[in-house]
Amino acid sequence: MSEPTERREVQDLRDVEVRINAAVLEALVTHKDLSGTELRMLLFALSMMNPTTGVAHITREDMAREARAGTAYASRATTKLKALGLLWRLDNGRVQVNPNFAFRGETRVDWMNAIQDLPGDAPAIRIPTSPPAEHSTSSRKKSRLRLVK
């Protein structure tokens, strides 16, 4: 018989106050760089981050469970969120949220300290500048091959 595993209490997202870089969030949403599942994973990480360090003590499995996705998808989503500079894995069970994107601390001084404490290899935030190309099969003309002599 196996021992019961300890389950961390997940904080209700309505009880968390997070300061977010609105320009980055708007760009991500309007340019559709994040799927709904990826956005849920990001918001979950924001809700779980430590107010002074920005570190969220969550695993890939926690993120997958919260977003109702598989762990392989959670892994790809974490890679994508890192590529966008929003968060990155420190090690198994710890994710760092970029304080240039979101912060939970009490004061502006705390926020500035968190930014200064970022390691030099921390990814920069990539803000999308143009929307992705529209892909509509109904309005696209079919290409035709011609015989060239």
mmCIF file of all heavy atoms in Angstrom, residues 39 44 76 91:
data_model
loop_
_atom_site.group_PDB
_atom_site.id
_atom_site.type_symbol
_atom_site.label_atom_id
_atom_site.label_comp_id
_atom_site.label_asym_id
_atom_site.label_seq_id
_atom_site.Cartn_x
_atom_site.Cartn_y
_atom_site.Cartn_z
ATOM 1 N N LEU A 39 -1.870 30.342 -21.764
ATOM 2 C CA LEU A 39 -2.203 31.485 -20.922
ATOM 3 C C LEU A 39 -2.625 31.022 -19.526
ATOM 4 O O LEU A 39 -2.216 31.625 -18.524
ATOM 5 C CB LEU A 39 -3.307 32.322 -21.574
ATOM 6 C CG LEU A 39 -3.660 33.631 -20.892
ATOM 7 C CD1 LEU A 39 -2.441 34.536 -20.766
ATOM 8 C CD2 LEU A 39 -4.755 34.347 -21.662
ATOM 9 N N PHE A 44 -1.368 30.606 -13.833
ATOM 10 C CA PHE A 44 -1.155 29.736 -12.678
ATOM 11 C C PHE A 44 0.214 30.016 -12.057
ATOM 12 O O PHE A 44 0.340 30.139 -10.838
ATOM 13 C CB PHE A 44 -1.282 28.268 -13.096
ATOM 14 C CG PHE A 44 -1.001 27.302 -11.982
ATOM 15 C CD1 PHE A 44 -1.788 27.285 -10.837
ATOM 16 C CD2 PHE A 44 0.046 26.408 -12.075
ATOM 17 C CE1 PHE A 44 -1.538 26.386 -9.812
ATOM 18 C CE2 PHE A 44 0.302 25.504 -11.060
ATOM 19 C CZ PHE A 44 -0.490 25.496 -9.918
ATOM 20 N N ARG A 76 6.328 21.798 -23.598
ATOM 21 C CA ARG A 76 6.431 22.668 -24.789
ATOM 22 C C ARG A 76 5.972 24.087 -24.464
ATOM 23 O O ARG A 76 6.568 25.064 -24.923
ATOM 24 C CB ARG A 76 5.613 22.091 -25.939
ATOM 25 C CG ARG A 76 6.220 20.853 -26.561
ATOM 26 C CD ARG A 76 5.522 20.444 -27.855
ATOM 27 N NE ARG A 76 4.090 20.246 -27.720
ATOM 28 C CZ ARG A 76 3.521 19.104 -27.338
ATOM 29 N NH1 ARG A 76 4.267 18.055 -27.047
ATOM 30 N NH2 ARG A 76 2.209 19.003 -27.257
ATOM 31 N N ASP A 91 14.844 24.779 -11.948
ATOM 32 C CA ASP A 91 15.121 23.356 -11.783
ATOM 33 C C ASP A 91 13.780 22.665 -11.626
ATOM 34 O O ASP A 91 12.735 23.307 -11.747
ATOM 35 C CB ASP A 91 16.060 23.089 -10.583
ATOM 36 C CG ASP A 91 15.564 23.706 -9.282
ATOM 37 O OD1 ASP A 91 14.340 23.666 -9.017
ATOM 38 O OD2 ASP A 91 16.391 24.234 -8.525
#
